[in-house]
């Protein structure tokens, strides 16, 4: 069973085998955490993303991490749901992002993975519900990943993730 840790910080500082980015379907990069990861990984990340795009909401696809500092070797691109009020299947799509990312991590034999708070920025997914979905889905997904880091960019997201972890 993987250990799950909640930290506050920049996902680019994480020493893990794979980082998950909150992408859009083109996998060409964008703003937010996706923009930060693409800037750090260099232009080859968008080229590799374009070669395997599109990525459907709820799905996850991997590329090399290119210029990211080791030990990061992989970027797992997952596309969260745009929040449209909650009755468009958003919760299941977000759960699928975490589930598919762990499945892809297993295919890569990644032993440690860092997740941002997928869909809670530009895509507007409510942070408290997203935190619960993240923790519940990770706990319910069989995986050989040993260490999972949930990286909050701000204190309130960190507290929500910690509360979700404690509620389990
Ligand atoms: N490290 C960790 N978390 C970060 C970082 C970072 N460097 N930068 C931003 N975040 C956090 C945000 O604060 C938010 O909590 O990542 C979470 C997800 O927010 P977004 O990056 O806006 O992602 P999302 O809401 O899924 O929207 C995806 O935005 O950037 C574009 O290309 C992306 O179109 C896609 C959309």
């Amino acid at each position: 069973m993987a250990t799950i840790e909640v930290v506050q910080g920049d996902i680019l500082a994480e020493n893990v085998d794979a980082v998950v980015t909150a992408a859009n379907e083109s996998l060409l990069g964008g703003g937010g955490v996706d923009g930060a990861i693409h800037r750090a990984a260099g232009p080859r990340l968008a080229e590799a993303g374009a070669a395997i795009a599109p990525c459907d909401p709820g799905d996850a696809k991997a590329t090399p991490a290119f210029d990211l500092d080791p030990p990061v070797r992989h970027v797992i691109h997952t596309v969260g749901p745009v929040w449209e009020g909650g009755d468009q299947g958003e919760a299941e799509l977000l759960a699928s992002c975490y589930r598919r990312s762990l499945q892809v991590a297993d295919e890569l034999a990644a032993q440690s993975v860092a997740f941002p708070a997928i869909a809670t920025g530009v895509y507007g997914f409510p942070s408290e519900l997203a935190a619960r979905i993240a923790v519940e889905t990770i706990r319910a997904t069989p995986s050989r990943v040993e260490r999972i880091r949930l990286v909050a960019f701000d204190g309130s997201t960190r507290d929500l993730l910690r509360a979700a972890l404690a509620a389990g």
Side-chain angles (χ1 to χ4, degrees):
M1 184 64 194
T3 61
I4 307 174
E5 302 156 277
V6 173
V7 293
Q8 180 179 349
D10 187 329
I11 203 166
L12 294 174
E14 289 294 304
N15 282 350
V16 291
D17 295 333
V19 292
V20 175
T21 187
N24 60 62
E25 296 178 49
S26 73
L27 302 188
L28 290 173
V33 67
D34 201 28
I37 289 170
H38 274 264
R39 280 191 297 278
R44 290 181 293 172
L45 188 61
E47 290 164 13
I52 58 173
C55 183
D56 295 333
D59 198 4
K61 294 185 175 180
T63 65
F66 299 110
D67 299 340
L68 289 188
D69 293 333
V72 181
R73 292 178 297 150
H74 309 286
V75 174
I76 298 173
H77 309 251
T78 192
V79 179
V82 175
W83 182 256
E84 298 182 83
D87 57 1
Q88 302 296 314
E90 296 97 320
E92 178 42 42
L93 278 174
L94 183 60
S96 178
C97 286
Y98 287 95
R99 191 178 309 119
R100 281 288 303 131
S101 294
L102 287 175
Q103 289 167 352
V104 169
D106 280 347
E107 292 162 12
L108 301 167
Q111 296 186 325
S112 54
V113 178
F115 285 93
I118 300 162
T120 65
V122 166
Y123 283 179
F125 203 108
S127 295
E128 183 174 5
L129 176 58
R132 289 206 305 273
I133 290 168
V135 170
E136 288 165 12
T137 306
I138 290 169
R139 282 181 164 149
T141 302
S143 165
R144 291 188 304 280
V145 173
E146 293 170 2
R147 193 158 66 90
I148 295 169
R149 307 261 295 173
L150 301 179
V151 183
F153 209 40
D154 56 79
S156 64
T157 302
R158 176 204 62 210
D159 293 345
L160 290 169
L161 284 165
R162 284 188 175 152
L165 208 50

